[in-house]
Amino acid sequence: MKFDVLIIGGGAAGMSCALVLGSAKNKDFATNKKIGIVIHQKASALANGLFNNVLGLKTGTTGKEILENGKKQLAKNYPDVIQIEKEKVTKVEDKKDYFIVTTNKNTYEAKTIVVAVGPSNLFAIDGLKQYIEPHGKLPAKKERIQLKNIEHKVANGIYVAGILAGWRSQFAIAAGSGAHVATDILTEWNDGNPTMIHDTIF
Ligand SMILES: Cc1cc2nc3c(=O)[nH]c(=O)nc-3n(C[C@H](O)[C@H](O)[C@H](O)COP(=O)(O)OP(=O)(O)OC[C@H]3O[C@@H](n4cnc5c(N)ncnc54)[C@H](O)[C@@H]3O)c2cc1C
């Protein structure tokens, strides 16, 4: 399967990135773009969390609910976004014009990838390990990592989003980072014109 953009990681950042990209599907510059997300959620920081301090979420919302409802929200509102469930990315190969993304079950091609797998030092994606550095904004004793980046861009065709981009670990920050990367990609697709996607009630 060939993607224009493939998001790796279905947590706060990856799902937010997918939602914003999906919401652009009716724009001329995005209509023909194929968007996918590898939603391996086993290692998500959300799994054990309780999210009372996130704007718009009901008090008592658990991370488990966010993970489940996020997939439903994406499928219902933006069914064009392909959700690849229960696969873990193991390798990324740079073929210059595109990437080969290998999971434990399949291989995919993608022109652009967004890496949003969280800051664990168990990071195990071959082909991206050369970008790893110690996380600059989390306690050193936790030994978290980030990928070297400038404003989320790691290298040509490679973005990083969420806490792996070097941000502190809060849901809203991770989600904002994913949305930020989505608008960067949309801006690229829209010939460099600064792009945001806003729906209205009228
Ligand atoms: C116990 C706990 C409580 C928390 N409580 C709060 C709170 O009250 N308020 C708040 O704002 N924040 C809270 N947080 C922080 C918040 O959950 C994180 O900041 C946020 O989830 C980070 O988002 P992310 O997308 O960077 O990473 P994650 O949400 O961790 O998403 C990363 C995703 O990538 C997937 N992944 C990993 N490796 C691969 C791979 N090789 N291939 C494909 N997918 C992969 C993981 O399974 C996961 O789904 C809490 C965190 C924890 C651990």
Side-chain angles (χ1 to χ4, degrees):
M1 212 181 281
K2 292 183 182 179
F3 292 95
D4 289 284
V5 57
L6 186 61
I7 300 160
I8 304 171
M15 292 298 277
S16 300
C17 185
L19 284 163
V20 175
L21 286 174
S23 70
K25 279 300 278 186
N26 59 355
K27 305 287 177 198
D28 288 346
F29 58 83
T31 328
N32 297 320
K33 302 293 188 192
K34 194 154 181 172
I35 302 160
I37 176 166
V38 183
I39 307 193
H40 170 83
Q41 291 184 323
K42 262 194 187 154
S44 178
L46 293 172
N48 299 316
L50 174 65
F51 293 82
N52 288 336
N53 61 358
V54 178
L55 182 68
L57 292 186
K58 272 192 299 189
T59 300
T61 300
T62 64
K64 272 201 178 113
E65 290 171 308
I66 297 173
L67 289 169
E68 269 319 303
N69 293 338
K71 289 191 284 188
K72 288 181 195 154
Q73 182 182 356
L74 186 60
K76 181 162 183 257
N77 294 347
Y78 311 116
D80 290 326
V81 178
I82 295 170
Q83 300 192 31
I84 302 164
E85 289 210 58
K86 299 191 171 73
E87 291 187 32
K88 194 167 186 170
V89 173
T90 54
K91 189 162 80 171
V92 169
E93 280 171 84
D94 188 346
K95 294 288 182 186
K96 299 301 166 211
D97 291 338
Y98 67 98
F99 298 90
I100 297 181
V101 177
T102 305
T103 73
N104 51 334
K105 295 181 184 160
N106 284 304
T107 57
Y108 305 96
E109 288 183 16
K111 285 189 187 147
T112 298
I113 56 168
V114 179
V115 189
V117 299
S120 166
N121 58 10
L122 302 175
F123 185 98
I125 304 178
D126 289 336
L128 295 177
K129 289 179 184 166
Q130 68 272 32
Y131 301 116
I132 292 176
E133 63 184 4
H135 202 290
K137 289 198 171 89
L138 293 176
K141 65 174 186 229
K142 291 197 164 188
E143 297 183 348
R144 300 296 191 226
I145 59 148
Q146 62 188 43
L147 296 190
K148 286 177 202 152
N149 71 91
I150 297 174
E151 291 201 22
H152 294 109
K153 192 135 195 187
V154 176
N156 262 350
I158 307 178
Y159 287 93
V160 59
I163 309 314
L164 184 63
W167 300 115
R168 291 197 186 90
S169 179
Q170 291 290 160
F171 184 92
I173 295 175
S177 166
H180 190 293
V181 169
T183 59
D184 282 348
I185 292 169
L186 293 174
T187 297
E188 269 179 36
W189 289 351
N190 194 14
D191 292 329
N193 297 305
T195 300
M196 295 139 283
I197 308 297
H198 295 176
D199 294 330
T200 57
I201 53 170
F202 42 79

